[in-house]
Structure formats: C-alpha cells, structure tokens
Amino acid sequence: MIIGSQEWRELLFIHHRVESTSLRGLVHPSLEIQERDGSAWVSSAAFTLRRGSVRGLPPLPDFHELNLRTYVTHPRRGPGIWFFSLDAASLTAVVIARASVRLPYFHARMERGEGWYRSERISVPASYDAAWTVTGEEHVSTPGSLNEFLAERYTLYSQALGPVLWCGKVVHEKWPLCEARIDKLWQTLPVAAGFECGPPALAHYTRGVVVDFEPFIPVL
C-alpha cells in the first residue's frame, strides 16, 4: 500500500569501507551486516527532497536531507538499509518522520550549491562539508555489481522507538548514476553515530528518482 511519494534530487553518494565489527553494536541484532569485496560499507547520501507528500497530511516543503547508512539483510525481509542518522533542514519533516516512519531524524542547518553541500546538526555536534566533480557518464548499475549492491536497496530498517525493529518499502526506478570525484570531505557524522571510517572508496552523483513509499511496520 503506497502512503506517500517524494522526489530525491541532485544526490551525492559517498561510500566508505569499514570493519563490520565496528558497526555490530550499532545495528539491530536481528539484522546481519552485509559485506562486499572484503568489507562492510557505510555511505552518506546528501540530496534535496522535493514534492514530498504523506497521505492525510499537508504537502511537505522542499528541503535538504542527508543520511548515513550501512547495508544489512534480514532472514525473512531480505536486504536493505540500516540508518544511523538522517539530517533534514525542515523541523516539520523531522517531527513527522520520527512519528510516522520511525526513522532517527535530526534537525540541521543545511545549504548547497553547484558541486558542494554543507550540513550542521542543531541538537548535537555533527557536521558534513563536501565538494565534488562529476567525472563519468550516466548509467544504471550492472546486475551483481558493487554499484548495484550499494545503490539498489528498497527496504529500510530502523529502531527509532524502543527495541522493536521496523521496516518499510520504497519503490523507484533504478538510480541513474554518474561517477564522481570527491574534492573535499569533512564530516563528523560517523563519530556522532559511534564509529569511525576512512577516506572515501567510491562516490556517485545522480539527478535523482521519484519515490513511492509504503508504511513502516514492526518486524515480528
């Protein structure tokens, strides 16, 4: 059942290799942390959310958003994304998201321009400052590739309220990805989440997709 839609536009993915043991205590015990090419992966996704709507609520204003995630799987629900944090420039969106989709949103001051993006969390210290250059032609991920492993995820997992694991489905076309070179990256999001990661191993830029999403439900 589709309960809302939104556009995720002008998005930068930055991917890091990490030791899965450093994440184990930060991910719900019902989930397995997936590894690929010898390591677990953590990614940030910085973008602008446009034309957001949730059934029964007024339309959301457009706003910038930044999330930090890793890649997991559940024995019954399958592979997906585990969010450590999601920062948004709209306080209204933060309140609605925490209450409705059970995700760990934080209010932040955010701004962006051509090839750069900045965020500073308001409640607790957590910052992000990135600049990039698009270096490749647009393409979709090859089946079985690392790009597909990192980008094509359609189940979201969260534990924002109490011990219960929640999951929700999203529906969208495959990401139209371009390779990107990271010219600058300063961030404390991983440290705020409880772990450290090294320099970027891979990055992509995309013009974005239109997304439909289903309600979050508890995983029993």
Side-chain angles (χ1 to χ4, degrees):
M1 178 179 64
I2 301 300
I3 63 165
S5 65
Q6 51 197 231
E7 298 179 10
W8 298 342
R9 294 301 185 191
E10 299 90 40
L11 187 147
L12 176 71
F13 287 116
I14 304 179
H15 309 289
H16 306 259
R17 291 181 178 272
V18 296
E19 293 290 334
S20 59
T21 53
S22 69
L23 306 178
R24 182 62 271 176
L26 305 172
V27 174
H28 195 280
S30 297
L31 297 171
E32 176 188 347
I33 299 171
Q34 291 187 295
E35 296 190 359
R36 177 64 188 253
D37 296 349
S39 70
W41 291 78
V42 166
S43 304
S44 60
F47 60 100
T48 300
L49 190 151
R50 303 188 187 279
R51 298 180 176 86
S53 66
V54 179
R55 183 181 299 170
L57 296 174
L60 291 172
D62 295 350
F63 59 89
H64 304 318
E65 183 171 327
L66 167 66
N67 66 59
L68 184 69
R69 85 277 285 281
T70 193
Y71 303 93
V72 298
T73 191
H74 185 272
R76 295 189 306 279
R77 300 285 180 172
I81 292 169
W82 172 264
F83 289 103
F84 298 110
S85 63
L86 304 96
D87 292 87
S90 167
L91 180 58
T92 300
V94 169
V95 172
I96 292 173
R98 278 188 169 269
S100 62
V101 297
R102 321 293 181 182
L103 289 171
Y105 269 83
F106 297 90
H107 191 206
R109 291 181 291 270
M110 311 174 85
E111 57 180 347
R112 70 175 305 166
E114 185 68 29
W116 62 270
Y117 199 108
R118 300 189 190 105
S119 175
E120 186 71 34
R121 193 174 295 169
I122 293 172
S123 58
V124 293
S127 59
Y128 174 96
D129 186 357
W132 67 91
T133 302
V134 176
T135 60
E137 298 296 324
E138 188 173 273
H139 64 280
V140 296
S141 302
T142 303
S145 66
L146 175 60
N147 286 354
E148 183 185 54
F149 174 87
L150 295 170
E152 303 304 330
R153 298 277 170 153
Y154 301 93
T155 301
L156 315 180
Y157 292 104
S158 176
Q159 185 191 346
L161 298 176
V164 177
L165 177 66
W166 295 77
C167 77
K169 296 282 189 179
V170 296
V171 181
H172 59 77
E173 65 181 6
K174 292 191 74 170
W175 287 100
L177 300 173
C178 298
E179 302 295 327
R181 181 185 71 241
I182 300 304
D183 301 318
K184 177 179 70 172
L185 178 63
W186 167 256
Q187 64 167 339
T188 59
L189 297 177
V191 172
F195 64 93
E196 295 185 2
C197 59
L202 187 66
H204 295 103
Y205 177 79
T206 172
R207 56 185 166 84
V209 293
V210 178
V211 183
D212 293 324
F213 55 91
E214 300 178 4
F216 270 61
I217 59 173
V219 180
L220 303 177

